[in-house]
Each structure stands twice: as structure tokens, then as C-alpha cells.
Amino acid sequence: MRRMTSKGSERGVVAPMTALLMVFLLGMAAFAVDVATMYSEHAQLQNGADASALAIANQCSKAATPCAADQAAAASGYANGNALDAHSNVVSAIADAGAGTVDVTIQSQTADGSSNHFSLQFAKVIGIPTADISASARAKWGYPSSGSGFPLAFSQSCWNLGPATPTGGDVQKITWKPGTPSCTNASGLTIPGGWGWLDDASTDPCTAVTSVGSFTTSNPGNNPPTTCQTILQSWKNTLTAGGVVKVTFPIFDTASGSGNTGVFHIVGYATFSIMGWHFGNASGPYEFRDTSTDPGMNANLACSSGNDRCIIGQFVEYSTSIGGSGGSDFGTSSVSLTK
């Protein structure tokens, strides 16, 4: 029998084919591994940019002195803290006090901090050794222009509700009782300490929706809305367990009308750390004294019987991520990411 042979030799074909396939395989490895690590690096940079912008905006909202424009040094700590290798480069961190914004841009940096780029592992085999990765964020600060919560509003003229101290400490401690001080409510009568109930017009129980510049209808009378028992009990449970209850209340500057037609003109929001209250029925959730926080609470809480109504605690500096901006500065700031 004669052996069948091909006319041309195929020796040496495997080697170049393998070389071509290796280039392809290395390219795929570069795509799979390097792209994944680039996504991880970008996520770390974005976290650092977001954290930096929020932290700087929060600080600027509380600063007693003008907020410095160049915030690169402040951003560096948050940027490096969010990087797995603790290295990143703050390209810029600019605070615009007039606009109430902070813009932060962060760039990749090598693990030893010697160069501002991201080193690739597999892609360098095909001539791409590094990549430039960056992330940006913008945060805005201001003072809330809207809110929803417990249906109680306070008079601006009754208390020193100016900007809170920049240290974050308490502004003042106040006990309310009828006629101290003398303020006027929507009915033209003396408000018990400068506060008044609001209509609970929300679909949520014990909730009033308000906004700066609007006139919110009042709910005349001494007793709180009957739908507030649950939330008052939750405050009581939190304080009894050693927790803290901070509630943001709307502030009004003027009142008009009378009875059910009375309205309060809302100008901003202030946050109160509550330690005790005496609302309506002096039993159950309508009365509470947090003596663990203040041992002298029984003596300080002057209204404890009859028709006296009071709430005791401290106005505190507070930051929230809701409510927009546009209200007056009463120590409660609104800080949020916008980009």
C-alpha cells in the first residue's frame, strides 16, 4: 500500500498560531483583570470624593468664620481614607461660600504615592502600562426650606434662635410654660412659651408638612393632636433606654388670623434635643421627664399640672440631608450631594 502524503509541508504552523493566540489571550486577560481593578479603583475614588465633599460642606455650614476656598488639605484625609492603598491625589477641592457648594476631584495615585496614575498589570504587556482614573463630586449646603414632622412650631421672636455655635455644642436650654415669655399666637393670645400646634394635614399620623415662605394653618388649643400618642411613646421609649431624641421643628416669625383660620408664617427650621414634656393629659405618653439625662429635671420642668404645657431640652446644631436650602440659619443645616 502506498502512504498518502500532502503536497505541502505544514511544519511550523503551530508556533505562529500559538503566538497570535497568546496575544489575544493576554488582551482578554488585560480586559478581564485590569478593567475590573479599574472599576474598583474608580469606586474607591468616588467614595473619597463624595465623603470629602460632604464633610467639607458640613463644616462650612457651621463655620463661624468664612469658609476657605481651597479645601485640598481637608479633602486629602477623606480621599486617602477611602482608598485601599491609602493613596490618592486631590486634584482640586474648592468651596464656594457664596453658592454654598463644594467641588472635589480626586485622581489615582500609585501605591507608594510617587506618581499620579493607576498601574495596570496585564495591559502593560501590550504597551498600556498605566491609566488615568479620576472621580468628582459636588455637595451643597444651606438651611432647610421644607420639612415634615411633629406638628409643633416655635416663634422666632421668643428665643435666641440665631446660628448655633460652631463647636456643635448646645445653644441654650429652655423650659416653656404659659406666659414665659409673652408671645402672640394666631388667635392673638399669649402662646404658652412661644409655640403653637399645627394642623395635621398629612396622610401620615402626627405629621405636618411645612415650607419656608408659606403660611401653615394652626391647630388652636392646649392639647396635641390625638394621633401623636404613638410618636410620643417612641420618644419616651428611646429616652428611657438611654438614647437621644432630636427633632427638627419649623420656626415662624409672624402669626395672623384666629381660631381654625389662624396661620403661622414659616421662616426656617431649628432642631431641639428633647428631655421632657407635658402635653395635654398628664399621663402615659403625654408627660415625661428624662431624669437620667438631667437629675434636676423634676425641679426644672416647671409645668407639671393643670393646663400648663411645656417641652424641655436644648437647641442643638444639626445637619440633615433633606429639606433643600433657602431657609434662615437657626443652627440646622442641610447638606447633600448634587453630583
Side-chain angles (χ1 to χ4, degrees):
M1 295 179 63
R2 299 180 61 184
R3 184 185 301 272
M4 296 183 65
T5 61
S6 61
K7 294 182 179 181
S9 174
E10 295 184 356
R11 286 183 179 180
V13 173
V14 174
M17 289 184 64
T18 300
L20 290 173
L21 285 173
M22 284 299 295
V23 173
F24 173 76
L25 292 173
L26 285 172
M28 292 300 294
F31 180 81
V33 177
D34 286 337
V35 170
T37 56
M38 288 169 66
Y39 270 107
S40 175
E41 177 71 7
H42 183 268
Q44 295 170 50
L45 292 174
Q46 192 63 63
N47 288 338
D50 292 347
S52 300
L54 285 172
I56 294 170
N58 187 52
Q59 184 60 38
C60 286
S61 72
K62 300 176 180 178
T65 57
C67 184
D70 187 357
Q71 294 284 342
S76 180
Y78 294 98
N80 292 336
N82 281 276
L84 292 179
D85 59 5
H87 284 295
S88 59
N89 176 50
V90 177
V91 177
S92 63
I94 304 300
D96 185 339
T101 59
V102 177
D103 288 281
V104 177
T105 298
I106 298 175
Q107 181 185 33
S108 290
Q109 197 173 71
T110 54
D112 60 3
S114 62
S115 183
N116 296 326
H117 64 251
F118 181 70
S119 297
L120 301 173
Q121 298 303 313
F122 287 92
K124 63 185 177 183
V125 177
I126 57 176
I128 308 175
T130 64
D132 184 12
I133 305 175
S134 62
S136 299
R138 169 177 287 180
K140 183 175 181 61
W141 79 85
Y143 306 102
S145 59
S146 62
S148 62
F150 195 77
L152 185 63
F154 297 113
S155 170
Q156 177 185 10
S157 62
C158 290
W159 311 110
N160 176 22
L161 292 175
T165 57
T167 58
D170 296 334
V171 178
Q172 56 188 316
K173 180 176 180 179
I174 301 170
T175 301
W176 282 280
K177 60 180 179 177
T180 307
S182 178
C183 299
T184 304
N185 69 1
S187 299
L189 303 175
T190 298
I191 300 175
W195 52 265
W197 297 108
L198 303 176
D199 274 343
D200 183 359
S202 170
T203 56
D204 296 326
C206 193
T207 301
V209 178
T210 56
S211 61
V212 168
S214 66
F215 288 86
T216 301
T217 54
S218 66
N219 185 354
N222 282 335
N223 297 333
T226 56
T227 57
C228 290
Q229 294 185 44
T230 300
I231 192 168
L232 289 175
Q233 186 62 51
S234 72
W235 292 358
K236 185 175 181 178
N237 294 342
T238 298
L239 291 169
T240 302
V244 177
V245 174
K246 293 181 180 180
V247 181
T248 300
F249 295 101
I251 306 299
F252 64 89
D253 61 349
T254 60
S256 61
S258 62
N260 291 326
T261 64
V263 293
F264 296 116
H265 182 250
I266 306 301
V267 292
Y269 296 83
T271 300
F272 200 69
S273 180
I274 299 174
M275 292 188 290
W277 61 86
H278 181 93
F279 297 148
N281 301 321
S283 61
Y286 290 101
E287 181 182 40
F288 180 74
R289 298 174 178 83
D290 184 14
T291 54
S292 62
T293 302
D294 184 350
M297 180 62 67
N298 287 321
N300 291 339
L301 190 56
C303 54
S304 59
S305 63
N307 288 324
D308 287 358
R309 303 288 181 264
C310 68
I311 184 171
I312 188 170
Q314 298 162 314
F315 281 111
V316 295
E317 206 169 48
Y318 188 72
S319 291
T320 178
S321 61
I322 59 175
S325 61
S328 299
D329 181 5
F330 296 132
T332 294
S333 58
S334 174
V335 178
S336 60
L337 288 172
T338 59
K339 185 177 73 172

